[in-house]
Amino acid sequence: MSKKKIVQAEELTKIFNKFTAVDHITFDVFEGEIFGFLGPNGAGKTTTINMLTTILKPTEGKATVCGYDIVKEASMVRSLIGVVPQEYTADEDLTGYENVILCASLYGLPRDLAKKRAIELLELVGLTKFKDKKVETYSGGMRRRLELACGLVNMPKVLFLDEPTLGLDVQSRKIIWQYIRLLKEEYGMTIFMTTHYLDEADNLCDRIAIIDNGKLVAIGSPNILKENLGGDILILDIEGDSDTIIELISKVENVKEVEKYGNEYRIKVTYGEIVTPKIIDILRKNGYTITKLFLTKPTLDDVYLEYTGKKLREEEGSKEDFFTFRMMLRRAKS
Amino acid sequence: MTRYIREIKNPFHGLWSLTHRELKKWYKAPIVLFISVVQPIIWIGLFGKAMNINAIFTSTMTTLNQKLPPNFAEQIMSKTFGTLDYFSFMAVGMLSFVILFSAMFSGMSIVWDRRLGFLNKVLSTPVARGVIIVSKIFSATIRSLIQAGIVLLAALLLGLHLHQNITFLKILGVFLVLLLLCVGLASMFLMIAIRSTRWETQMAVVNLLNLPLLFASNVLFPVKLMPSWLQTVAKVNPITYATDAIRQLLIYETNFSQLTFDLIYLTAFTTVLVITGIILSWKYLNK
């Protein structure tokens, strides 16, 4: 199956006063997929989105969205995409309905269509009851849904979501996930999203890219990335002579590596659920007793930590960014 | 739902929507309109009435037992201010001040839009950068013209003496002058705010420029009586020309050559600033 590339980035780079925020990244997004962009704070996720959505001009490299160049044909790109930024961008003094109408007119929808579309979208995101209330009275989840409605007003080919669930409670997150799946399945929309939450990426995304320090460090489907880590980890507590045990286990098919920590053996295996009974059989036949057993499958967290390292980041942020972030969290909680 | 995608060819696309957004915020909160009108009315009502300069000649001079020529006060007043009372002189000048005040806040609004993320959203829609600036100028202009109209009515109620040759056309002319001044000043304050993310900075700039622009002009006092260094400043200040034009139209025996010069100066000032503002928006209006 040959998939159509809808976003293509080649050596895309952004340098702010000597600080390289995005460093020569190259990737494709295929039509109709949910593409997740992961990375620590300050890794360059939002900068990449800002470039692809034409808000920022790249320092080097090029990118196309739906075949249009993001610099030379920016206006065309803008009319084909929808953007839901990280911040809440709706005008607080206007009602939800007025906000959607305003967005519709910015995308050039004729008045009648705009009105119809606004009603439909507010229904879709479950805000019909609150459509004539001012946005300042909305909760965080409602604001996020309103942002989504605004981003969908032109029924874009590609929807860019920057941290769509940041600061939301579990219920609101689940609702946003439902919408994202619906958009993909019902409308065949391509979705490009950034997130901090790895379970979110694992659940939703067809493919993910991990970016760290402005560089792309991994790309692929969550399952493949997990498998690439070297499979599952089996932990066994066994009494007895360690050298023989290690030898016995190592002979089993699909066992990759055995390490011993005290009485505990950490065994890297592929197809853990099939290999584990075989190991138990062999050990039993040779008279060893297993006192504890634990099988873990790698999570996306393991993939993420493998590529981005475990150290806590020293982050630099401006006062303004912090202010915006604080404002957003405050509104998310209200 | 069908996809609605169309290349947008109209360069002014989105202008009315964005202007309307700002106006809506304004007319939905009548208290803001009320305060913005009350302040200049207090200025003219208290300052304009308190500075009863006439009384220097009618009351103070008589206490010095000076023998004054007949109609001395009237002559001094009309030679100095061109009117018979200071209130008329100053109240008309306040119209420019109303414009200055509204224009300053158009700069603030772009800082807030940037901080609250609204600007970000607009930047990702197919709206031209210049239109974002022009919509701010438009809304500031519409707002301030309405405010100036209300202040003018209030001044009339408080005893503003119009020239006897007043015509409807002249009143229209006053609003044209105010429009030119507002477009120019709003462009200027928007340019100052175009990259700013801190409203504190913008507030400081506004406070810094506010009073010098007012005092170094003919709004409160005639330029020809100022010290020469101050005259130089007042003579480049566009508010001086706008105020003079309004006085020529409303309270003076209109001097058409002076009026033409005022209008040319204002038009040039406004054109240069609007064009610079739009050009800067192409380059600097981004994240």
Side-chain angles (χ1 to χ4, degrees):
Chain A
M1 190 174 78
S2 79
K3 287 189 236 160
K4 207 179 132 202
K5 292 173 183 171
I6 199 154
V7 177
Q8 286 178 281
E10 267 173 59
E11 303 282 314
L12 202 60
T13 304
K14 181 74 196 180
I15 301 170
F16 297 109
N17 307 321
K18 291 182 186 159
F19 169 73
T20 311
V22 174
D23 195 357
H24 299 91
I25 61 172
T26 301
F27 62 89
D28 298 323
V29 178
F30 300 109
E31 188 159 23
E33 73 176 352
I34 302 181
F35 186 82
F37 221 52
L38 311 183
N41 291 341
K45 297 182 303 262
T46 301
T47 309
T48 309
I49 277 213
N50 283 341
M51 285 192 282
L52 292 175
T53 56
T54 75
I55 298 175
L56 270 181
K57 281 198 180 104
T59 317
E60 265 176 60
K62 58 173 271 184
T64 59
V65 175
C66 307
Y68 296 99
D69 189 284
I70 55 162
V71 177
K72 290 179 207 132
E73 293 157 307
S75 157
M76 208 52 213
V77 172
R78 284 181 205 135
S79 65
L80 287 163
I81 60 169
V83 186
V84 181
Q86 211 176 96
E87 318 95 314
Y88 296 127
T89 60
D91 192 319
E92 304 234 328
D93 300 327
L94 305 181
T95 66
Y97 177 75
E98 285 169 335
N99 264 294
V100 183
I101 291 282
L102 175 60
C103 283
S105 64
L106 297 182
Y107 280 101
L109 269 72
R111 192 97 191 128
D112 299 349
L113 182 62
K115 283 182 185 166
K116 205 173 132 246
R117 182 67 54 88
I119 302 279
E120 284 172 339
L121 284 171
L122 288 166
E123 179 70 42
L124 175 79
V125 298
L127 288 176
T128 306
K129 246 169 74 186
F130 307 95
K131 74 180 179 62
D132 295 321
K133 289 234 158 50
K134 275 191 180 184
V135 174
E136 60 185 12
T137 65
Y138 282 24
S139 72
M142 288 160 74
R143 279 165 197 263
R144 198 47 90 184
R145 272 139 61 198
L146 178 65
E147 294 293 332
L148 196 58
C150 288
L152 288 171
V153 82
N154 58 336
M155 278 286 121
K157 279 194 130 136
V158 189
L159 180 66
F160 290 87
L161 299 168
D162 196 358
E163 304 277 1
T165 58
L166 192 65
L168 297 187
D169 58 28
V170 180
Q171 287 85 350
S172 304
R173 283 178 69 194
K174 288 270 156 70
I175 292 171
I176 300 276
W177 292 3
Q178 275 176 23
Y179 295 141
I180 294 175
R181 286 206 189 92
L182 180 85
L183 291 171
K184 180 196 161 177
E185 281 151 22
E186 293 257 310
Y187 302 105
M189 212 173 268
T190 310
I191 290 152
F192 185 111
M193 60 183 283
T194 70
T195 181
H196 268 332
Y197 301 113
L198 298 164
D199 58 329
E200 182 166 295
D202 207 359
N203 260 308
L204 279 175
C205 298
D206 298 304
R207 285 196 313 137
I208 57 169
I210 299 177
I211 182 171
D212 192 22
N213 290 325
K215 287 196 172 75
L216 205 63
V217 289
I219 186 163
S221 83
N223 285 332
I224 290 176
L225 288 177
K226 282 186 250 176
E227 273 165 34
N228 286 350
L229 275 191
D232 312 340
I233 289 172
L234 175 64
I235 298 171
L236 296 175
D237 270 19
I238 312 164
E239 283 162 13
D241 173 37
S242 57
D243 288 347
T244 344
I245 293 176
I246 293 177
E247 212 188 301
L248 280 170
I249 297 173
S250 306
K251 276 185 195 155
V252 179
E253 209 184 333
N254 286 324
V255 169
K256 290 193 165 167
E257 204 184 301
V258 186
E259 281 170 48
K260 183 177 184 281
Y261 304 92
N263 264 352
E264 190 181 288
Y265 295 81
R266 282 175 71 92
I267 308 155
K268 268 196 183 172
V269 293
T270 40
Y271 314 114
E273 45 294 25
I274 301 168
V275 177
T276 309
K278 288 184 187 165
I279 296 176
I280 297 172
D281 272 358
I282 287 182
L283 288 170
R284 281 224 178 114
K285 269 180 204 159
N286 288 284
Y288 290 103
T289 320
I290 298 163
T291 53
K292 226 190 250 172
L293 180 150
F294 193 62
L295 176 67
T296 57
K297 298 234 145 219
T299 60
L300 207 52
D301 294 35
D302 299 314
V303 176
Y304 182 81
L305 291 176
E306 170 81 19
Y307 286 109
T308 60
K310 290 173 192 170
K311 273 214 315 236
L312 198 65
R313 303 300 164 119
E314 293 284 339
E315 265 184 81
E316 271 184 53
S318 68
K319 188 181 153 208
E320 286 72 38
D321 289 344
F322 186 67
F323 173 85
T324 314
F325 183 70
R326 212 177 50 197
M327 287 284 283
M328 193 190 65
L329 286 186
R330 197 161 60 205
R331 284 186 277 170
K333 280 183 199 147
S334 67
Chain B
M1 273 178 262
T2 48
R3 202 149 265 167
Y4 189 84
I5 287 163
R6 183 180 65 157
E7 191 171 12
I8 286 153
K9 297 241 165 62
N10 176 5
F12 297 109
H13 157 75
L15 180 57
W16 174 242
S17 305
L18 287 174
T19 310
H20 189 221
R21 163 194 174 238
E22 307 243 349
L23 292 177
K24 208 184 250 174
K25 290 166 91 103
W26 178 67
Y27 64 66
K28 274 188 165 182
I31 187 76
V32 179
L33 170 64
F34 180 74
I35 292 170
S36 62
V37 173
V38 160
Q39 204 207 10
I41 293 178
I42 289 175
W43 266 85
I44 55 172
L46 300 186
F47 187 82
K49 287 288 181 189
M51 297 285 276
N52 189 5
I53 294 173
N54 258 344
I56 297 173
F57 309 104
T58 52
S59 157
T60 319
M61 294 292 258
T62 47
T63 59
L64 296 172
N65 291 322
Q66 294 288 329
K67 195 89 173 120
L68 294 174
N71 296 333
F72 182 69
E74 284 81 0
Q75 281 180 42
I76 289 282
M77 285 306 286
S78 62
K79 280 272 186 283
T80 318
F81 297 106
T83 54
L84 293 179
D85 60 326
Y86 180 72
F87 177 78
S88 296
F89 177 84
M90 185 268 185
V92 167
M94 254 1 236
L95 296 180
S96 308
F97 184 67
V98 172
I99 302 289
L100 172 66
F101 223 74
S102 302
M104 288 190 305
F105 283 98
S106 63
M108 289 295 285
S109 84
I110 205 162
V111 179
W112 274 113
D113 278 358
R114 188 181 276 283
R115 279 201 99 153
L116 294 178
F118 183 83
L119 183 67
N120 239 352
K121 173 157 72 191
V122 181
L123 288 176
S124 69
T125 65
V127 170
R129 272 35 181 172
V131 165
I132 300 173
I133 294 290
V134 175
S135 77
K136 295 262 176 214
I137 298 174
F138 267 34
S139 58
T141 307
I142 294 171
R143 272 199 318 245
S144 59
L145 288 187
I146 292 171
Q147 287 167 11
I150 296 173
V151 173
L152 181 58
L153 279 179
L156 284 170
L157 291 176
L158 288 169
L160 169 69
H161 293 295
L162 294 176
H163 193 268
Q164 71 243 27
N165 293 338
I166 192 81
T167 60
F168 179 67
L169 205 64
K170 282 186 180 174
I171 300 214
L172 265 181
V174 170
F175 283 93
L176 173 74
V177 169
L178 292 174
L179 181 132
L180 282 173
L181 181 69
C182 188
V183 171
L185 287 175
S187 310
M188 186 174 92
F189 284 103
L190 282 165
M191 259 187 266
I192 296 171
I194 202 162
R195 290 298 290 157
S196 174
T197 51
R198 300 175 49 127
W199 63 268
E200 296 97 323
T201 321
Q202 190 60 22
M203 203 66 187
V205 170
V206 161
N207 275 332
L208 187 72
L209 290 177
N210 171 4
L211 292 181
L213 278 172
L214 177 67
F215 293 144
S217 78
N218 61 351
V219 169
L220 299 174
F221 204 69
V223 173
K224 59 176 189 258
L225 295 183
M226 291 177 183
S228 66
W229 62 269
L230 193 53
Q231 281 193 27
T232 328
V233 183
K235 277 178 181 164
V236 290
N237 188 347
I239 293 173
T240 302
Y241 295 90
T243 308
D244 184 65
I246 298 167
R247 289 198 180 117
Q248 297 289 347
L249 289 162
L250 284 183
I251 54 174
Y252 294 169
E253 179 80 56
T254 315
N255 174 345
F256 280 99
S257 66
Q258 182 61 38
L259 181 63
T260 316
F261 182 74
D262 290 339
L263 286 175
I264 290 172
Y265 186 91
L266 275 175
T267 313
F269 162 78
T270 301
T271 316
V272 169
L273 281 164
V274 171
I275 292 173
T276 326
I278 292 175
I279 291 173
L280 285 181
S281 77
W282 294 337
K283 196 163 160 47
Y284 293 112
L285 204 57
N286 50 33
K287 173 86 180 155

